[in-house]
Amino acid sequence: WKETNERVTKNVYIELARKNGKSFFAAAIALYNLIADGEANAEVEIIANSAKQAGIVFSMCKNLVDGLDSKHKYFKAYRDKIKFDATKSFLQVLSTDVNSNDGWNSSLFVVDEYHSAPNSLMYDVMKSSQRNERKSIIYCNYNCWFQSLFTLL
């Protein structure tokens, strides 16, 4: 993929039992995409079935950023957004309202606790927001004992 700058993997599906670090891993993946993926103007979105659940992943992102940059020289953290000015990129947590989430240009979106989604509407809206098919990626966390992968696809 180095010749074409196209990702080999565009959909990441992680299935783990409860309390094994899925949300923390999602936060780490989101921050990697924000900082080190090499994409300028990256938009990283975190979604879940509730604002509370999405906030858990976002809070982990903020804690990791505080550990990386305690003086906030490189990152600017806000209530629902983290900016990384070196690449003009940002990470944000979005509401669960499908109708208010059109218009983003997501380079990565993280779906936490996808197993409890009542339908795929939010996933579909975010997938349609991905602007650069060669570099975009989807990351889904899933509790392994709920439903089969085929409901995701």
Side-chain angles (χ1 to χ4, degrees):
W1 68 279
K2 290 183 180 182
E3 295 83 27
T4 63
N5 202 26
E6 186 170 327
R7 288 194 190 281
V8 174
T9 303
K10 295 182 181 177
N11 296 295
V12 178
Y13 166 82
I14 299 292
E15 185 174 296
L16 290 170
R18 296 183 69 230
K19 302 298 178 191
N20 276 291
K22 291 182 305 293
S23 297
F24 180 81
F25 191 64
I29 293 291
L31 284 176
Y32 175 84
N33 193 269
L34 180 71
I35 301 165
D37 199 38
E39 185 173 348
N41 301 308
E43 290 185 22
V44 178
E45 275 82 31
I46 299 170
I47 62 171
N49 298 307
S50 69
K52 181 178 179 182
Q53 185 60 41
I56 290 170
V57 176
F58 184 74
S59 179
M60 290 178 182
C61 288
K62 280 178 110 171
N63 290 340
L64 286 169
V65 162
D66 286 343
L68 291 170
D69 183 22
S70 60
K71 295 184 179 181
H72 303 285
K73 183 176 177 183
Y74 302 103
F75 296 96
K76 306 250 184 321
Y78 303 96
R79 182 178 55 88
D80 59 357
K81 186 179 279 191
I82 297 171
K83 291 184 178 182
F84 183 58
D85 289 335
T87 59
K88 304 282 190 252
S89 301
F90 65 88
L91 179 150
Q92 66 182 344
V93 63
L94 297 178
S95 74
T96 57
D97 181 18
V98 174
N99 297 321
S100 69
N101 285 318
D102 278 329
W104 299 112
N105 292 312
S106 184
S107 52
L108 164 74
F109 71 90
V110 172
V111 185
D112 197 32
E113 303 289 344
Y114 187 70
H115 63 275
S116 60
N119 54 48
S120 68
L121 292 175
M122 188 65 168
Y123 178 91
D124 295 340
V125 165
M126 294 309 299
K127 184 164 175 59
S128 72
S129 78
Q130 293 192 311
R131 63 173 181 232
N132 185 348
E133 286 297 320
R134 295 180 350 174
K135 290 278 286 185
S136 61
I137 191 165
I138 301 165
Y139 174 87
C140 290
N141 273 345
Y142 209 76
N143 275 346
C144 63
W145 53 276
F146 269 91
Q147 299 171 352
S148 72
L149 169 63
F150 299 105
T151 61
L152 177 68
L153 305 174

